[in-house]
Amino acid sequence: MSQKASPAIHTTTFAVLFAISFCHLLNDMMQALLPAIYPSLKAQFHLSFTQIGLVTLAFQCTASLLQPGVGLVADKRPMPFSLPLGMVSTLAGLVLLSLAGSYAMILVSACLIGIGSSVFHPESSRVARMASGGRHGLAQSLFQVGGNTGSALGPLTAAWLVVTYGQRSIIWYAGIALLAIFILWNVGRWYKHHGLARIRAARTQAPVNLPHGKIVASIAILLSLIFSKYFYLTSITSYYTFYLIHTFAVSVQSAQVHLFLFLAAVATGTFAGGPIGDRIGRKYVIWVSILGILPFTLMLPYADLFWTTILSVVIGFIMASAFPAIVVFAQELVPGKVGMISGLFFGFSFGMGGIGAAALGLLADHTSIVFVYKVCAFLPVLGLLTAFLPNMAVKHES
């Protein structure tokens, strides 16, 4: 019986990977809608930068604080159909956002969308690893590139639909949520009938040969690198449109196209990080992706519009390769806890994004949006911490 099950367990199931990646695209496209319509919400409800940051904080806190708990519970008791149920919360948040008539309703809708995300990310990351067939970096990159592509499409669709037709047009995104629910229900069926066997096989994996203190310190270093990446990333996703409008007097639509170019570069870079990490080692990818963007972030606040566009694309591409490598590195440090580790890192990244948005919004209100980018330019220096990570053996899967 075990001989027949083994090939299935060690086969990469690309149909499931593509399905979960596509749902990640849909999920993050809906989430990216929120920051993409910030200029419209700011004008309509007369919001300050601090209030804009608090909307992001409301979303990121519900999305981040619940994720490690969801992952930990699922590690002990896998829940194949939790993914479509989580998407129902996102659906409710989108409907409420389309009808919101006050700042309080915007905050509540952001929280509901965040709750949907808190269920989606750790469980879908687990499904990606289940379906990987041992090609963990490739699977994580395919999964993550879907999310980054969705994040890039969010501002573009918002520029076309919401900016043109107004807040009520957000209701059309509910159809995207319904499509995601349908696909995730079918993924849940595969999870129930095939994925559970892969979870049981993965639990037999031997622990890494490292002292407990070294593992804890390595996780702390990886979280510090996530802090660096997502504090800088939120300076782009939340305030790049304002920076371009303020500095170069471009239109809202033009600024959102520039944001799309940055996020498209992020999506492209994400796809490269995982497979390269499978081949040469994840530590090298982390080195280049965090510390390697430092020269470009230092130049960005002083560039003209043309070079700002070029630099932002280069930064997005290089920086994006870090996340799949970091997540898989952490999963390999703590085998058997895929849900908890995925929830911790996705949740921490969202939390840092939320705290960063609020902190940087407050800083922008008291200084200037240009000053924010001058300060954030030094965040990649934290990439030097990569030197203290253990050298994990590169496993070449057949």
Side-chain angles (χ1 to χ4, degrees):
M1 185 71 178
S2 61
Q3 290 179 342
K4 293 182 180 179
S6 181
I9 288 172
H10 295 290
T11 300
T12 304
T13 310
F14 282 103
V16 173
L17 285 177
F18 288 136
I20 206 70
S21 179
F22 180 63
C23 287
H24 200 185
L25 183 154
L26 298 179
N27 181 80
D28 284 22
M29 184 172 74
M30 291 181 286
Q31 291 177 10
L33 171 69
L34 193 59
I37 63 172
Y38 279 169
S40 299
L41 293 177
K42 188 176 189 295
Q44 182 178 347
F45 294 95
H46 308 289
L47 305 179
S48 67
F49 281 121
T50 301
Q51 288 175 305
I52 290 290
L54 289 174
V55 173
T56 302
L57 180 62
F59 163 72
Q60 302 285 27
C61 281
T62 53
S64 63
L65 294 179
L66 297 178
Q67 283 200 45
V70 170
L72 182 61
V73 170
D75 281 332
K76 297 179 179 179
R77 184 178 180 182
M79 299 173 285
F81 295 102
S82 61
L83 284 169
L85 292 177
M87 192 60 66
V88 172
S89 179
T90 300
L91 173 63
L94 289 170
V95 172
L96 183 60
L97 184 61
S98 70
L99 301 173
S102 67
Y103 180 63
M105 289 181 68
I106 294 173
L107 290 175
V108 172
S109 64
C111 288
L112 287 171
I113 296 172
I115 290 170
S117 178
S118 71
V119 176
F120 179 83
H121 284 97
E123 275 296 87
S124 55
S125 181
R126 177 204 297 281
V127 170
R129 191 173 178 91
M130 279 181 211
S132 70
R135 301 163 73 178
H136 301 140
L138 172 65
Q140 193 62 227
S141 281
L142 281 174
F143 166 66
Q144 195 62 29
V145 79
N148 289 336
T149 303
S151 295
L153 290 174
L156 200 63
T157 58
W160 169 70
L161 186 63
V162 181
V163 173
T164 304
Y165 297 103
Q167 179 187 351
R168 293 298 174 90
S169 64
I170 295 172
I171 195 68
W172 291 103
Y173 286 84
I176 297 175
L178 290 172
L179 173 61
I181 290 170
F182 172 76
I183 296 173
L184 290 173
W185 182 263
N186 285 281
V187 169
R189 293 175 61 190
W190 176 87
Y191 186 159
K192 180 179 180 181
H193 295 293
H194 303 282
L196 292 177
R198 300 189 181 205
I199 291 176
R200 287 190 290 269
R203 284 173 177 169
T204 64
Q205 181 180 346
V208 295
N209 188 25
L210 288 172
H212 177 72
K214 183 66 173 178
I215 294 174
V216 172
S218 298
I219 294 293
I221 289 171
L222 293 172
L223 290 173
S224 299
L225 298 177
I226 290 291
F227 162 80
S228 168
K229 170 179 162 50
Y230 277 89
F231 242 69
Y232 191 85
L233 185 62
T234 199
S235 75
I236 302 289
T237 55
S238 291
Y239 300 110
Y240 190 44
T241 52
F242 297 110
Y243 173 77
L244 293 173
I245 292 169
H246 174 268
T247 307
F248 304 111
V250 300
S251 66
V252 172
Q253 287 85 350
S254 176
Q256 288 173 334
V257 170
H258 280 81
L259 180 58
F260 164 76
L261 292 175
F262 168 79
L263 294 173
V266 169
T268 306
T270 300
F271 184 73
I276 293 173
D278 283 339
R279 172 93 24 206
I280 68 171
R282 311 191 204 288
K283 185 174 178 178
Y284 296 109
V285 174
I286 296 169
W287 263 117
V288 173
S289 61
I290 301 293
L291 193 61
I293 65 170
L294 181 61
F296 306 107
T297 60
L298 291 173
M299 288 188 285
L300 183 67
Y302 306 96
D304 60 18
L305 180 59
F306 173 80
W307 283 108
T308 294
T309 305
I310 299 298
L311 288 170
S312 67
V313 168
V314 172
I315 290 167
F317 180 84
I318 297 175
M319 179 177 63
S321 61
F323 194 73
I326 289 173
V327 171
V328 176
F329 196 106
Q331 289 173 344
E332 291 173 348
L333 283 171
V334 192
K337 298 291 183 182
V338 174
M340 185 191 73
I341 291 296
S342 299
L344 175 63
F345 277 83
F346 277 103
F348 188 77
S349 67
F350 283 15
M352 287 301 98
I355 293 171
L360 296 178
L362 186 62
L363 181 63
D365 280 335
H366 285 82
T367 56
S368 70
I369 199 70
V370 176
F371 183 74
V372 165
Y373 283 93
K374 291 180 178 179
V375 171
C376 289
F378 292 92
L379 286 170
V381 171
L382 288 174
L384 291 169
L385 292 173
T386 306
F388 299 100
L389 290 174
N391 294 313
M392 306 284 281
V394 180
K395 300 177 182 179
H396 297 288
E397 301 294 337
S398 58

